[in-house]
Amino acid sequence: MKDKITNILMAGVGGQGIIMASNMLSEALLAAGRDVKKSEVHGMAQRGGSVTSHVRFGRKVFSPLIRKGEVDILYSLELLETLRYTDYLKKETVIILNDYRLNPPSVSLGAKTYPEGIPELVRANFPRTTLIDGVGIAREVGNPKTVSTVILGHLSLYIDMPENTWADIMSDRLPSKILDVNLKAFHAGREIKQVA
C-alpha cells in the first residue's frame, strides 16, 4: 500500500492550527520513509479566513496539489469550511469533522445566516464521516487550544505508521510546556472509534 498516493485535505480558519497540524503530519510521514508534498493557502488567516493545506504522500509524489474529486481524507476543523471543499471529495472519502462553528463576517454582520444541519448533510453524502467534539475533548485533556491535535490523533488511525513516530515528531516540534497536554489530546483523538 506504500505505492499508493494518499491525498489529505486539511481545512479550517485562521488561528485553528491547520498549518501546525499539516507540518506535524508531513514530518511524521517523512520520518516513516514516505515521499511527501505539501501546499498551503492562507486566506486572510489572521481575520478568521479560510486556511487549507494539501498533503500528498506515497512512494513517489510529483505534485503538492490535490485535484477535485481525489481527496482520500478530509480533516476539517470548522463545519462550514467542510462544505467549501465537497467538490474535492469522492463518495468513499473519510471525513474527520470537528463539531465547531465560527461565524464568517457575512453572518456576523447579519447579511447571511449560518447553515443548519451541516453534519447531517455531510453524512448523507459521505457515509465515512466522523463528527468529533474536538473542543470538548480538548477541554477535558486540559487545554482548549489542542483541538487540532485531537483531530490529528484521530486522523492518525487512517495512516499506517507506528504511534511512536507521531510522539517523536511532537516531542521535536512542540515546546516542552505544551508537549504533555498535546500528547494527551493526540491519544484522546485516537480513542475515538474509526469508521470502516
Side-chain angles (χ1 to χ4, degrees), residues 7 12 23 38 52 61 64 70-71 76 82 87 106 110-111 123 137 154 156 167:
N7 298 315
N23 285 343
K38 180 174 91 92
T52 60
V61 181
E70 294 189 359
V71 167
S76 181
T82 306
D87 53 345
S106 60
R123 275 195 179 122
I137 294 170
H154 190 69
S156 73

Side-chain angles (χ1 to χ4, degrees), residues 1 12 14 16-18 32 46 70 73 81 87 89 100 102 110 119 125 133 139 143 151 165 171 174 192:
M1 290 299 288
Q16 286 193 297
I18 290 289
Q46 292 179 344
E70 294 189 359
I73 302 172
E81 291 301 311
D87 53 345
L89 310 181
Y100 176 75
L102 179 67
N125 290 283
D133 177 13
R139 284 188 179 130
N143 187 334
I151 308 302
T165 302
S171 297
L174 298 174
I192 299 166

Side-chain angles (χ1 to χ4, degrees), residues 164-179:
N164 66 329
T165 302
W166 294 97
D168 291 345
I169 294 301
M170 292 175 73
S171 297
D172 289 344
R173 292 278 304 169
L174 298 174
S176 58
K177 65 181 180 183
I178 61 169
L179 176 60

Side-chain angles (χ1 to χ4, degrees), residues 93-123:
T93 297
V94 169
I95 299 177
I96 304 167
L97 180 57
N98 181 33
D99 190 10
Y100 176 75
R101 71 181 259 181
L102 179 67
N103 289 339
S106 60
V107 173
S108 297
L109 295 171
K112 294 186 177 179
T113 57
Y114 195 98
E116 296 297 328
I118 291 175
E120 295 78 10
L121 178 65
V122 171
R123 275 195 179 122

Side-chain angles (χ1 to χ4, degrees), residues 47-63:
R47 296 185 181 182
S50 296
V51 177
T52 60
S53 182
H54 292 215
V55 178
R56 305 185 72 220
F57 69 93
R59 190 175 64 83
K60 187 65 183 170
V61 181
F62 294 99
S63 168

Side-chain angles (χ1 to χ4, degrees), residues 23-44:
N23 285 343
M24 284 201 291
L25 169 62
S26 298
E27 290 183 24
L29 290 165
L30 285 169
R34 312 289 177 80
D35 188 33
V36 182
K37 297 288 186 292
K38 180 174 91 92
S39 69
E40 302 164 356
V41 175
H42 312 239
M44 296 186 67

